[in-house]
């Protein structure tokens, strides 16, 4: 089915100048970028985005990492976009990520792991709406 998913290119990958390389992987896999912006996340915005992890021991490190530099937030659209994006990203921990995935190629640790992608239709809908208004999304049909 046609789906939308939220992708974040994290501060480590932006700092490595890997934005184009990563977007290119999405496009080559048949996903279309239908919304895109570079932002510096505030502490509040990052905490709200990751609210479900607020009780986890890594929460503070995660928020401070995500606010350490600009990120590129995108909506990707396409057939099976949520799972396809997760396949392209590879495992959360780059040490476990399959060769050729974004995290295997660009991530350095489970914290600095290059990209985020929604993990299910419900989270995709919530995460897209957290960053983009309807007018900012440009379906390509
Ligand atoms: P992300 O997909 O952005 O969602 C939450 C992030 O927390 C995850 O990627 C990792 O970068 C980070 N993180 C740090 N430690 C852990 C952990 N033990 N388990 C899951 N995520 C972790």
């Amino acid at each position: 089915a046609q789906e939308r998913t939220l992708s974040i290119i994290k501060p480590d990958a932006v700092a490595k100048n890997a934005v184009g390389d990563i977007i290119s992987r999405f496009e080559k896999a048949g996903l279309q970028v239908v919304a895109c912006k570079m932002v510096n996340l505030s502490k509040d915005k990052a905490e709200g985005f990751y609210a479900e992890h607020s009780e986890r021991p890594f929460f503070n490190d995660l928020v401070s990492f995500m606010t350490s530099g600009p990120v590129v937030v995108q909506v990707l659209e396409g057939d099976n976009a949520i799972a396809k994006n997760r396949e392209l990203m590879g495992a959360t921990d780059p040490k476990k990520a399959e060769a050729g995935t974004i995290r295997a190629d660009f991530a350095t640790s489970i914290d600095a792991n290059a990209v985020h992608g929604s993990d299910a239709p419900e989270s995709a809908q919530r995460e897209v709406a957290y960053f983009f208004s309807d007018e900012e999304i440009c379906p390509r049909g």
Side-chain angles (χ1 to χ4, degrees):
Q2 284 295 113
E3 289 177 343
R4 285 178 183 172
T5 190
L6 186 87
S7 162
I8 304 179
I9 302 178
K10 296 189 180 186
D12 58 320
V14 174
K16 281 183 184 154
N17 243 4
V19 170
D21 223 316
I22 291 171
I23 294 178
S24 178
R25 291 177 182 221
F26 298 145
E27 293 187 330
K28 285 186 179 133
L31 296 174
Q32 293 182 310
V33 177
V34 296
C36 182
K37 58 190 168 192
M38 181 177 273
V39 288
N40 281 298
L41 296 179
S42 66
K43 187 163 180 274
D44 271 5
K45 189 84 179 173
E47 283 177 351
F49 182 73
Y50 282 121
E52 68 188 291
H53 295 304
S54 61
E55 302 304 319
R56 308 283 291 272
F58 58 82
F59 183 68
N60 287 341
D61 285 347
L62 174 60
V63 169
S64 79
F65 173 65
M66 292 300 288
T67 56
S68 67
V71 298
V72 175
V73 193
Q74 296 174 87
V75 181
L76 305 176
E77 188 175 80
D79 192 41
N80 213 13
I82 297 166
K84 198 176 270 182
N85 181 38
R86 293 182 70 76
E87 235 170 78
L88 293 169
M89 291 192 297
T92 305
D93 182 349
K95 285 190 291 231
K96 296 178 186 155
E98 248 183 83
T101 60
I102 293 169
R103 283 166 171 158
D105 290 345
F106 297 109
T108 48
S109 70
I110 196 166
D111 297 300
N113 68 347
V115 280
H116 166 84
S118 309
D119 64 2
E122 304 71 44
S123 52
Q125 200 173 22
R126 176 175 53 77
E127 292 179 0
V128 166
Y130 191 77
F131 282 105
F132 294 97
S133 66
D134 285 347
E135 303 77 61
E136 290 177 300
I137 302 174
C138 309
R140 308 235 230 117

